[in-house]
Amino acid sequence: MKQLPDLDLQLHALFDIINGRTKTQLLLTAIELNIFDFLSTSQSAESVAAELGTHPMGTRFLLDGLAALDLVDKEDGRYRNRPGTQMALHRQSPAYVGRMFSMMGSMAWMLSGQDLMFDSGEVAETMKRVGFSSMESSVVGTPMMLMELDIARK
């Protein structure tokens, strides 16, 4: 068997690039759900899920992702905004920039000329009302399940 040489590879930058979309979607989803408004004080994933009407496990995954991005602190299964997050992403803060980030995310999609996909008929219908030319439902198979998606086209 051929021995591979020892390499001191620093792959962090490459992982940051490949995970960029995931990080962006975590932030944009949290902004859309106003997650940061609930995390001025330490909260459990279950209490945040109850306030938002979301599934507790999915909420925990989102909050863990935000903790991995250093946007929130996690201690003993409870989450709380970090100081910079409280200032920039809590809607009552005079320095709130969440709406700007949401608009930037939307503009990036629209300018790319790609179709937008949503898992909620209500969202796709809204997109149609604001100028997208068509909306159709499609079932997509994933390794875990079938998903029905609504697709809005420019």
Side-chain angles (χ1 to χ4, degrees):
M1 181 185 287
K2 184 176 179 182
Q3 286 287 79
L4 294 174
D6 284 337
L7 297 174
D8 184 20
L9 292 177
Q10 299 296 320
L11 299 177
H12 299 291
L14 296 176
F15 280 107
D16 281 345
I17 292 168
I18 201 71
N19 288 321
R21 177 133 175 87
T22 301
K23 292 176 180 182
T24 300
Q25 286 308 118
L26 283 168
L27 175 59
L28 292 176
T29 299
I31 290 169
E32 182 179 336
L33 293 172
N34 300 314
I35 290 272
F36 304 110
D37 291 356
F38 297 101
L39 300 178
S40 295
T41 59
S42 181
Q43 302 289 326
S44 69
E46 292 77 15
S47 66
V48 173
E51 286 288 328
L52 295 174
T54 56
H55 193 280
M57 186 173 61
T59 304
R60 181 178 298 110
F61 289 158
L62 176 58
L63 291 169
D64 284 342
L66 297 173
L69 294 176
D70 290 326
L71 293 172
V72 300
D73 289 323
K74 180 181 180 182
E75 187 174 325
D76 297 325
R78 298 177 68 80
Y79 304 84
R80 184 183 178 122
N81 288 335
R82 293 181 59 99
T85 303
Q86 179 72 19
M87 185 178 298
L89 297 174
H90 189 287
R91 287 184 302 161
Q92 298 305 312
S93 169
Y96 178 69
V97 293
R99 182 143 171 82
M100 178 185 68
F101 288 153
S102 291
M103 288 189 300
M104 289 171 66
S106 297
M107 290 300 297
W109 272 105
M110 286 189 259
L111 293 174
S112 72
Q114 297 182 26
D115 293 340
L116 300 177
M117 297 175 66
F118 304 97
D119 64 358
S120 168
E122 193 173 294
V123 173
E125 283 295 330
T126 300
M127 294 301 290
K128 189 174 175 184
R129 280 197 308 273
V130 298
F132 281 76
S133 63
S134 68
M135 190 277 302
E136 68 182 55
S137 291
S138 179
V139 176
V140 177
T142 68
M144 294 188 342
M145 66 181 160
L146 290 176
M147 293 175 47
E148 184 174 343
L149 297 174
D150 291 331
I151 304 168
R153 288 195 170 78
K154 291 173 82 170

